[in-house]
Every structure is written in C-alpha cells, then in structure tokens.
Amino acid sequence: MAGHSQFKNIMHRKGAQDARRARQFARLIREITVAARHGLPDPASNPRLRAAVTAARQANMPKDTVDRAIKKATGAGAGDDYAEVRYEGYGPAGVAVIVEALTDNRNRTASDVRSAFSKHGGALGETNSVSFMFNRLGVIRYPAAVATADAMLEAAIEAGAENAESDDETHEVTCPIEDFFTVRDALEARFGAPESAKLEWRPTTLVTLDEDRAAGLLKLLDALDENDDVQNVYANFDIPEAVMQKLSA
C-alpha cells in the first residue's frame, strides 16, 4: 500500500471518528457550494455538482443538508465565496506533498499550511515545485459486487478509460482528465452511481519510509487533514507493511 490512502487507513484506526466525520461533512458542503455557485444548481446538468452530491451520499450526509448547501450557494447573498488553491512542498525524507484547499481567506490558509509544514519537518514550496512528480487523472471507484473484473475492464475501455484495476473490494477506473465526465457518465449509465468519482494526483515515483520517517510524515499529514480549509492531500510515499503494523498498533 502507498500514498495518502494508506495514511487515511492509519488515521481511521486511531478513533476520533465524530470529529473526522464533522470535518468530512464541512469539506463536502464547501465542494457542493462551489460546484453549485459556478454552474447550474441542478446536479443532472452540472457534472461537478453531481460528483459532489454523490460523494455526500456515500458519506451518508442527510439529503436536507445537501439541499440546504445548494440553496445557500445559489440564493440571494449567497454567503462565503470560496477560492480553490493548491499548495506544494516537501515533507520529511523529501516526500512530495500536494495540498488542495477551498478557502474564503487565502492568507489564513497559506499561513496555516506553511506552519504545518514547518512544524513537522517539511517546507512549503512554490506552485509546480512538486506536481511534475505526479499525474493528474480521473479516478472512478465502484464496489467489487457491481461487476466482474473483466466486465468492468471492458466497460471502462469502451467508455474511453485508460485502465481498470480490481480487487476483492473495489474496481478502480482511471482516465485522462479531459475524458473524466464522459467516462464517468458512461459507467454510471451501465452500473449506477459510482462509490466515488473525482480528479486525483497520482505519484509517478514513491519514497519508501522507515518507521521514524513514516511517523514524522504522518504527523504532517494529520495536521493538514485537521485543517478545515484543506480538501485533499496527496503524497508520494510508500510505507512497508511491517512498518504500517507498528504505526497502527
């Protein structure tokens, strides 16, 4: 296992689920707000909003909460105006980190992100200082039960995807970002709404970490994850299974 999904698995085992759920809902509401404000308020006609609403449903967000977020975004005096910003830098052991945020105060968010990097052995860099080590891809995930691996791969390729990988729990389809909505809609027509569908940064190389360096990096990722403005964090690290077990014990 590698990358941010590994960090998420570790954090999930540590508890504090109520606080994490509240942060997750806050992030989803921000994404719904931005999507509704910059496009049509109807998910059927707004691909980004449809993806945000799907993510909210997967997180078991109440429907009335979703509806209120859309109405607030499109109503008179629509409230906070969030800007999309990306930060890039290096964590402990030279791990490349990309942080995506939605913020109503760029100065506050930049200061908080820079502080998190500094306190945990990293350094915030300039835009594009590490993104060249990642590919930007559309990623669509389905539960394994919706189709066989062969059927999902066939459907993905027909829809214009680059690849589909399957295991006992999940089908993961990847595609170029310019084909993301076309591929997602084709798969949704065939298999129903996906478990998740979004654009992600995927590292092209990984830094393997020992226990000490892994612990330091995870402290940085945890600090970023606790920031309400931060939507997503991506990093090019690999933690061996033996080290994972020690860290999550």
Side-chain angles (χ1 to χ4, degrees):
M1 294 175 64
H4 189 55
S5 61
Q6 191 179 63
F7 159 69
K8 287 289 189 182
N9 289 341
I10 294 171
M11 293 301 105
H12 186 76
R13 299 171 192 170
K14 287 187 174 181
Q17 294 306 302
D18 288 345
R20 289 184 58 78
R21 180 179 174 85
R23 288 199 299 274
Q24 181 187 28
F25 275 21
R27 288 166 181 160
L28 289 167
I29 288 171
R30 286 194 184 194
E31 174 61 19
I32 290 169
T33 299
V34 171
R37 186 168 295 157
H38 294 284
L40 295 172
D42 179 8
S45 305
N46 183 334
R48 180 173 179 178
L49 180 57
R50 186 159 70 252
V53 170
T54 297
R57 289 173 179 164
Q58 291 294 335
N60 296 317
M61 180 182 288
K63 184 178 184 300
D64 61 342
T65 302
V66 174
D67 292 342
R68 281 199 304 270
I70 295 174
K71 289 178 181 178
K72 181 179 179 181
T74 56
D80 297 326
D81 187 14
Y82 295 111
E84 298 177 86
V85 291
R86 186 176 86 234
Y87 304 98
E88 301 180 24
Y90 288 94
V95 171
V97 182
I98 294 177
V99 181
E100 294 179 334
L102 287 175
T103 178
D104 57 354
N105 187 323
R106 289 173 179 263
N107 290 335
R108 179 197 66 224
T109 306
S111 177
D112 289 347
V113 170
R114 183 177 293 107
S115 177
F117 273 85
S118 298
K119 288 180 180 178
H120 299 286
L124 193 62
E126 299 294 327
T127 301
N128 298 322
S129 59
V130 305
S131 58
F132 67 92
M133 291 184 279
F134 295 76
N135 289 324
R136 187 72 161 157
L137 297 172
V139 183
I140 303 152
R141 296 183 179 88
Y142 278 92
V146 302
T148 65
D150 288 343
M152 181 59 69
L153 178 60
E154 179 181 355
I157 298 303
E158 287 179 357
E162 290 182 337
N163 193 25
E165 296 184 356
S166 303
D167 57 28
D168 291 341
E169 297 181 353
T170 305
H171 301 292
E172 183 178 273
V173 177
T174 54
C175 64
I177 57 174
E178 60 269 21
D179 298 328
F180 172 65
F181 292 123
T182 299
V183 173
R184 186 202 61 189
D185 291 349
L187 293 178
E188 186 171 331
R190 184 161 178 177
F191 300 114
E195 190 172 76
S196 67
K198 60 182 180 177
L199 302 181
E200 296 184 2
W201 293 93
R202 288 293 179 88
T204 55
T205 60
L206 297 174
V207 178
T208 301
L209 302 176
D210 59 23
E211 185 175 353
D212 289 341
R213 291 179 174 179
L217 177 68
L218 291 175
K219 288 179 181 178
L220 167 61
L221 298 182
D222 195 19
L224 292 170
D225 188 61
E226 290 178 353
N227 187 309
D228 289 340
D229 296 334
V230 172
Q231 293 290 103
N232 300 293
V233 182
Y234 304 94
N236 69 336
F237 67 94
D238 177 65
I239 301 178
E241 187 62 32
V243 174
M244 278 280 292
Q245 292 176 358
K246 291 181 180 180
L247 292 172
S248 59

